[in-house]
Amino acid sequence: MDYVIRGVRAGEWEPAREIRLAALRDPVAPIAFLETYERAVARPDEFWQQRTADAVEGRLSRQFIAEAPDGSWVGTVSVLVERPADEPGFGEAASCDQTHLVGVFVRPGHRGRGVLDALVREAVDWSWDLSGAPVERVRLYVHETNARAAAAYRRIGFVPTGRSVRLEGDPGALELEFEMRR
């Protein structure tokens, strides 16, 4: 694989914004992301600058990207740190020290080349290496109709927990929780 998997660096808010907007234009975006393209594109530059700065700091979150040989960003994943004392984010409140993978995206022309696996592996490794109380599990959610994503995560080693969350904007739809334990 000729891709470099690395953390987002300080000042890279513009490519971070661009790949997020590309993800939100993907045909599966309505079932893969909780944000719309219209909402994201309207956000001011300061939002993207702060979001990237927070992801670089790596205390509460970290963003990883897959960089092609030409320097273009072809994939991304963000990791949210969730501790039992924290306010609940998405889904159930953390009952153990854990991380949560969100914003997973690989550009269509680069799918099936190991990019997803490498991004997720980097995110999981980062999770296991966090300072403080050891992370016991890494979780993520998959829309119940996104069979392709569910199969990919199973292949990587995630298993369904049996827990699910109803979507705010579509109460008839479920997000299914998957996890990887240490």
Side-chain angles (χ1 to χ4, degrees):
M1 186 173 86
D2 293 333
Y3 300 92
V4 173
I5 308 301
R6 64 171 179 82
V8 171
R9 297 178 185 136
E12 292 184 322
W13 68 272
E14 289 174 297
R17 177 184 187 270
E18 188 281 325
I19 199 163
R20 177 64 176 178
L21 295 177
L24 294 171
R25 286 189 301 264
D26 191 87
V28 298
I31 64 168
F33 301 106
L34 299 178
E35 181 177 39
T36 65
Y37 173 83
E38 293 75 21
R39 182 171 174 209
V41 78
R43 294 186 185 273
D45 290 350
E46 294 79 19
F47 169 85
W48 298 101
Q49 292 163 353
Q50 186 61 54
R51 180 177 170 149
T52 303
D54 291 345
V56 169
E57 181 183 313
R59 196 171 57 81
L60 301 176
S61 66
R62 188 72 171 115
Q63 182 180 6
F64 297 96
I65 58 103
E67 191 173 47
D70 67 1
S72 63
W73 289 14
V74 300
T76 186
V77 61
S78 292
V79 187
L80 308 177
V81 179
E82 299 176 327
R83 305 285 188 184
D86 296 344
E87 289 292 318
F90 181 79
E92 295 179 349
S95 60
C96 65
D97 293 292
Q98 63 188 25
T99 60
H100 185 164
L101 304 189
V102 298
V104 181
F105 174 69
V106 176
R107 293 183 195 271
H110 299 272
R111 293 176 184 162
R113 298 181 182 184
V115 175
L116 174 68
D117 297 49
L119 281 166
V120 170
R121 190 171 33 256
E122 187 72 19
V124 169
D125 289 348
W126 181 84
S127 297
W128 297 153
D129 290 341
L130 272 170
S131 61
V135 167
E136 294 178 32
R137 74 181 192 135
V138 177
R139 74 175 179 163
L140 55 85
Y141 284 87
V142 177
H143 191 281
E144 64 185 336
T145 64
N146 198 344
R148 192 175 111 228
Y153 294 128
R154 279 189 177 100
R155 185 189 76 248
I156 293 168
F158 283 83
V159 296
T161 66
R163 292 185 205 94
S164 62
V165 176
R166 295 215 175 270
L167 288 175
E168 249 182 61
D170 184 1
L174 294 175
E175 290 278 329
L176 309 175
E177 185 186 58
F178 283 68
E179 72 176 6
M180 181 183 288
R181 292 249 170 209
R182 182 182 286 275

